[in-house]
Amino acid sequence: MTNATAMLTALGDPTRQAIFERLTDGPLAVGQLADVLPISRPAVSQHLKVLKEVGLVTDRQEGTRRLYSVDPDGLAELRAHLDGFWARSLAAFQQHASRESQNDQNN
Amino acid sequence: MTNATAMLTALGDPTRQAIFERLTDGPLAVGQLADVLPISRPAVSQHLKVLKEVGLVTDRQEGTRRLYSVDPDGLAELRAHLDGFWARSLAAFQQHASRESQNDQNN
DNA sequence: GCTTACCGTAAGCTACGACTTACCGAAGGG
DNA sequence: CCCTTCGGTAAGTCGTAGCTTACGGTAAGC
């Protein structure tokens, strides 16, 4: 399992999607996320741990609070992986289309 | 839940990731996927159903077999959503950086 | 028309993942 | 120094997602 696939698995949970999407608007503390989301603060911590392990977010201490931000490098890696999907599927589609036109010529 | 987030949730399962990745190399029948993957054929069918519901794959009848392909439009939609994440996180990062330099001037 | 290949769906089981509450540690403020 | 705020971790519960086997249904081949 590559890192990008691990990122996709991490973002598979809707709650983690919501957390990550909030963080794209700027850094947030754990409590701030818990105030907005319909889950408890420990639950938010657990989700943030998963997102951090796959490299999608970063955390830094800010006094007594802990601010989480999206990791641009991680997000870039995920986008690159999706771009790979895109390139290959496009190539496969064009190959299929060319085979189709080949068949049309034969008919 | 937007369609793009539903796609992310669908791709959250590693088996579905494997299925989708295989399909990026070209259309495949259900049995062909089941031969390669370490799960039974009905399990593959169930995964394909999920991927189809969110618009990530398409199916067409080919005689007695059923060929599944990646849906370029669906993949494009997912990429666009990721690009939104990227744009917003970049803007937030730059805003944070500008605030930092502001603070540096004040110190 | 019978058989074979191929596939979707139903029913049921099991494991895991997403919560909760409870507890503890670290950092600041009075 | 307390005390309060803030957050990570442990333990335990519960729902559900993913898998299997079993069955039925359609298209092609002889």
Side-chain angles (χ1 to χ4, degrees):
Chain A
M1 182 129 120
T2 91
N3 208 325
T5 61
M7 290 181 188
L8 272 178
T9 304
L11 283 181
D13 180 67
T15 302
R16 276 195 289 270
Q17 292 179 25
I19 291 178
F20 186 76
E21 189 154 9
R22 298 272 181 177
L23 292 182
T24 56
D25 288 329
L28 287 174
V30 181
Q32 292 177 336
L33 286 168
D35 288 338
V36 176
L37 300 171
I39 59 177
S40 69
R41 186 192 49 72
V44 175
S45 270
Q46 293 165 6
H47 284 303
L48 286 172
K49 182 180 181 180
V50 174
L51 290 174
K52 180 183 174 183
E53 283 175 349
V54 299
L56 278 173
V57 301
T58 320
D59 62 334
R60 70 193 130 97
Q61 198 95 17
E62 191 93 357
T64 171
R65 303 193 309 172
R66 182 169 286 263
L67 293 183
Y68 282 84
S69 329
V70 315
D71 187 348
D73 297 337
L75 184 52
E77 186 177 349
L78 182 58
R79 288 212 315 159
H81 194 240
L82 264 288
D83 285 358
F85 281 171
W86 178 257
R88 276 190 298 164
S89 71
L90 187 65
F93 177 76
Q94 287 176 340
Q95 180 180 350
H96 174 72
S98 69
R99 258 204 314 269
E100 279 297 313
S101 67
Q102 186 77 15
N103 291 347
D104 289 352
Q105 287 184 355
N106 294 354
N107 291 355
Chain B
M1 182 127 118
T2 90
N3 207 325
T5 61
M7 290 181 187
L8 272 179
T9 304
L11 284 182
D13 180 67
T15 302
R16 276 195 290 269
Q17 293 178 24
I19 291 178
F20 186 76
E21 189 154 8
R22 298 270 182 179
L23 292 182
T24 56
D25 288 330
L28 286 175
V30 181
Q32 293 177 335
L33 285 168
D35 289 338
V36 175
L37 299 171
I39 58 177
S40 69
R41 186 194 49 73
V44 175
S45 270
Q46 293 164 6
H47 283 303
L48 286 170
K49 181 180 184 182
V50 175
L51 290 174
K52 180 183 175 183
E53 282 174 350
V54 299
L56 278 173
V57 302
T58 320
D59 62 333
R60 72 194 129 97
Q61 198 95 16
E62 190 93 358
T64 171
R65 303 192 309 172
R66 182 168 286 263
L67 293 183
Y68 282 84
S69 329
V70 314
D71 186 348
D73 298 336
L75 184 51
E77 186 177 349
L78 182 58
R79 288 211 316 159
H81 196 239
L82 264 288
D83 286 358
F85 280 173
W86 178 258
R88 276 191 298 164
S89 70
L90 187 65
F93 177 75
Q94 288 175 340
Q95 181 180 350
H96 175 73
S98 68
R99 258 204 315 271
E100 280 296 312
S101 66
Q102 187 78 15
N103 291 348
D104 290 351
Q105 288 184 355
N106 293 353
N107 292 355

